[in-house]
Amino acid sequence: MSFSPLVDQLLESLRVLPGVGPKTAQRMALHLLEREREGGRRLSAALSQAIEQVGYCQRCRTLTEETLCSVCQDPRRDETSLCVVESPADMLAIEQAGGYRGQYFVLHGHLSPLDGIGPDDIGLDQLEARLAEEPVGEIILATNPTVEGEATAHYIAEHLVGREIKISRLAYGVPMGGELEYVDGGTLSRAFQGRQPFSRD
Amino acid sequence: MSFSPLVDQLLESLRVLPGVGPKTAQRMALHLLEREREGGRRLSAALSQAIEQVGYCQRCRTLTEETLCSVCQDPRRDETSLCVVESPADMLAIEQAGGYRGQYFVLHGHLSPLDGIGPDDIGLDQLEARLAEEPVGEIILATNPTVEGEATAHYIAEHLVGREIKISRLAYGVPMGGELEYVDGGTLSRAFQGRQPFSRD
Ligand SMILES: [Zn+2]
Ligand SMILES: [Zn+2]
């Protein structure tokens, strides 16, 4: 026995969500049907609306339902600085941290030759086209501090050699507020390599 | 800064799912928009279809899009035995365990005077009506082994006193396959109270 066909179909469909296995899908489906039909209706509509209308910013490739995202539309942003990130979530995290006032470029992933993900799949042709048109003086490579993110940053940096563009990478080191004993060895040795003169300010 | 309005709306809507906080909602929304639009479309459709079409079985009150659920439609099920459960998930668990071939009645919750949930809210009027019409000889109270489930079972049992119906409750005891040292004290003392003569079969 299982649930009725429409309930089973809902259960199955919920499995598309990351981290949702059979038990969680069942709990979600019953919760929606037993206690949250109004919320479920709103979710169905919001999902379909986002899927049909949200595309990519023509300039930075982040997710947006408009031609240009709010950052790219903002005339007060610095046009000479461009931050390259792997995902819209990374771009949001940097915006929420505050301080950075330049432009972005979203790769939607990283290079992964084994998975057949090459330079054009992460939009590097589009990045080149953008550099030809805009007065970018510095590119900040803010890909993830992972093997793939590193490799992608290196690939981009090498392809920009010869241009009049300063290339930088986010600083590596111990995270603020953490305790040293819980920081992994790789991060610690990077923090040693990148040590800075102590400032008394 | 946040995401675009439609992405933010999707994030908000996903919070209706149990156990989904802001971070998980963001991960889900980006996963759907970046990698699973087809799955997201199916989820939206399945959700809306289930919400609009799934109602309650007229006889046992489980979730179904038909007038009667598959158990209630099955002419081979024993009409004299009725198992009372709190939720459709409990009914499914009992069906999947196998062995029980009788009927069901789903309360969709338990008595909870403090939350204003009284007998009619869990369908006890409908249960009475059913007992007046059907040849039920035994009611198995399979509400949860919690304070509220117990109280609900007691309430139902008291209201059936005087009828020619045998009333039983699921056995309490140590779960199969577990190790005694990890069984909680309440369960252990119940298992002692309900100890059975040793069978050499
Ligand atoms: Zn943009
Ligand atoms: Zn039924």
Side-chain angles (χ1 to χ4, degrees):
Chain A
M1 189 235 187
S2 53
F3 291 105
S4 70
L6 288 185
V7 178
D8 279 345
Q9 175 183 286
L10 174 56
L11 276 169
E12 256 329 296
S13 309
L14 282 163
R15 302 279 307 275
V16 77
L17 298 171
V20 173
K23 271 285 166 194
T24 308
Q26 174 175 317
R27 196 158 53 90
M28 288 175 165
L30 295 183
H31 176 79
L32 291 172
L33 291 172
E34 300 242 274
R35 281 184 292 277
E36 268 291 6
R37 295 208 179 205
E38 206 31 69
R41 231 172 243 126
R42 275 197 304 273
L43 172 55
S44 169
L47 187 50
S48 134
Q49 225 185 338
I51 284 176
E52 304 314 332
Q53 294 177 43
V54 172
Y56 300 99
C57 173
Q58 283 191 358
R59 196 168 168 216
C60 76
R61 313 207 322 158
T62 197
L63 291 165
T64 178
E65 58 269 26
E66 298 190 77
T67 313
L68 292 179
C69 75
S70 59
V71 169
C72 289
Q73 276 184 44
D74 185 345
R76 293 161 306 176
R77 308 276 312 200
D78 180 1
E79 298 240 289
T80 66
S81 180
L82 181 67
C83 179
V84 176
V85 293
E86 292 189 28
S87 81
D90 298 336
M91 173 173 168
L92 180 65
I94 294 170
E95 284 297 291
Q96 286 178 340
Y100 179 68
R101 297 295 299 158
Q103 309 292 326
Y104 288 93
F105 188 82
V106 180
L107 302 173
H108 292 286
H110 44 243
L111 290 175
S112 184
L114 289 179
D115 301 317
I117 299 173
D120 287 1
D121 300 307
I122 58 172
L124 295 189
D125 45 350
Q126 200 177 328
L127 178 61
E128 298 246 20
R130 192 164 162 192
L131 294 178
E133 282 171 15
E134 297 182 20
V136 176
E138 177 178 16
I139 289 188
I140 301 161
L141 297 171
T143 50
N144 287 329
T146 58
V147 173
E148 297 84 0
E150 288 286 278
T152 304
H154 279 169
Y155 181 92
I156 297 174
E158 273 170 32
H159 271 247
L160 297 177
V161 165
R163 290 179 189 261
E164 292 276 317
I165 296 178
K166 188 175 146 199
I167 300 173
S168 53
R169 181 101 175 91
L170 290 186
Y172 289 104
V174 294
M176 298 295 292
E179 293 181 53
L180 272 196
E181 66 176 301
Y182 299 118
V183 174
D184 69 286
T187 301
L188 264 186
S189 54
R190 284 285 200 149
F192 267 88
Q193 286 164 34
R195 64 190 180 276
Q196 303 282 329
F198 188 76
S199 153
R200 287 203 165 74
D201 300 344
Chain B
M1 191 234 186
S2 52
F3 292 105
S4 71
L6 288 185
V7 178
D8 279 345
Q9 175 183 284
L10 173 56
L11 276 169
E12 254 330 296
S13 308
L14 282 163
R15 303 279 308 274
V16 76
L17 298 171
V20 174
K23 271 286 168 195
T24 308
Q26 175 176 316
R27 196 158 51 91
M28 288 175 165
L30 295 183
H31 176 79
L32 291 171
L33 291 173
E34 301 241 272
R35 281 183 293 277
E36 268 291 7
R37 293 207 181 205
E38 206 32 68
R41 232 172 242 127
R42 276 198 304 274
L43 173 55
S44 168
L47 187 50
S48 134
Q49 225 187 338
I51 285 176
E52 304 314 333
Q53 294 177 43
V54 172
Y56 301 99
C57 173
Q58 283 190 1
R59 196 168 169 218
C60 77
R61 312 208 322 159
T62 198
L63 291 166
T64 178
E65 57 269 27
E66 297 190 78
T67 314
L68 292 179
C69 74
S70 58
V71 169
C72 289
Q73 276 184 45
D74 185 346
R76 295 160 306 176
R77 308 276 311 200
D78 180 0
E79 299 242 287
T80 66
S81 181
L82 182 69
C83 178
V84 176
V85 292
E86 291 190 29
S87 81
D90 298 336
M91 173 173 167
L92 181 65
I94 294 170
E95 284 297 291
Q96 286 178 340
Y100 179 68
R101 297 294 300 159
Q103 308 294 324
Y104 288 93
F105 188 83
V106 179
L107 302 173
H108 293 286
H110 45 243
L111 291 175
S112 183
L114 289 179
D115 301 315
I117 300 173
D120 287 1
D121 300 307
I122 57 172
L124 295 189
D125 45 350
Q126 198 177 331
L127 178 61
E128 298 245 19
R130 190 163 163 195
L131 294 178
E133 281 171 15
E134 296 181 21
V136 177
E138 177 179 15
I139 288 188
I140 300 161
L141 298 170
T143 50
N144 287 330
T146 58
V147 173
E148 297 85 359
E150 290 285 277
T152 304
H154 280 171
Y155 182 92
I156 297 173
E158 272 170 32
H159 271 245
L160 298 176
V161 164
R163 290 179 190 261
E164 294 276 316
I165 296 178
K166 187 176 146 199
I167 300 172
S168 53
R169 181 99 175 92
L170 290 187
Y172 289 103
V174 293
M176 299 295 292
E179 294 181 52
L180 272 196
E181 66 175 302
Y182 299 118
V183 174
D184 69 286
T187 302
L188 264 186
S189 53
R190 285 285 199 148
F192 267 87
Q193 286 164 35
R195 63 188 180 277
Q196 304 280 330
F198 187 76
S199 154
R200 287 207 167 69
D201 300 345

Short mmCIF file of all heavy atoms in Angstrom, two decimals, chain A residues 57 60 69 72, ligand 1:
data_model
loop_
_atom_site.label_atom_id
_atom_site.label_comp_id
_atom_site.label_asym_id
_atom_site.label_seq_id
_atom_site.Cartn_x
_atom_site.Cartn_y
_atom_site.Cartn_z
N CYS A 57 20.77 37.96 -15.49
CA CYS A 57 21.15 39.34 -15.80
C CYS A 57 22.07 39.31 -17.03
O CYS A 57 23.02 38.54 -17.08
CB CYS A 57 21.86 39.94 -14.59
SG CYS A 57 22.54 41.58 -14.92
N CYS A 60 25.77 40.59 -15.55
CA CYS A 60 26.56 39.86 -14.56
C CYS A 60 26.13 38.40 -14.44
O CYS A 60 26.76 37.64 -13.74
CB CYS A 60 26.45 40.53 -13.19
SG CYS A 60 24.88 40.23 -12.36
N CYS A 69 20.10 43.12 -13.36
CA CYS A 69 19.81 42.97 -11.93
C CYS A 69 19.94 44.32 -11.22
O CYS A 69 20.39 45.30 -11.82
CB CYS A 69 20.76 41.96 -11.31
SG CYS A 69 22.43 42.59 -11.07
N CYS A 72 23.55 45.77 -11.25
CA CYS A 72 23.97 46.26 -12.57
C CYS A 72 23.20 47.52 -12.98
O CYS A 72 23.67 48.32 -13.79
CB CYS A 72 23.81 45.18 -13.63
SG CYS A 72 25.02 43.84 -13.45
ZN ZN C 1 23.63 42.05 -13.00
#
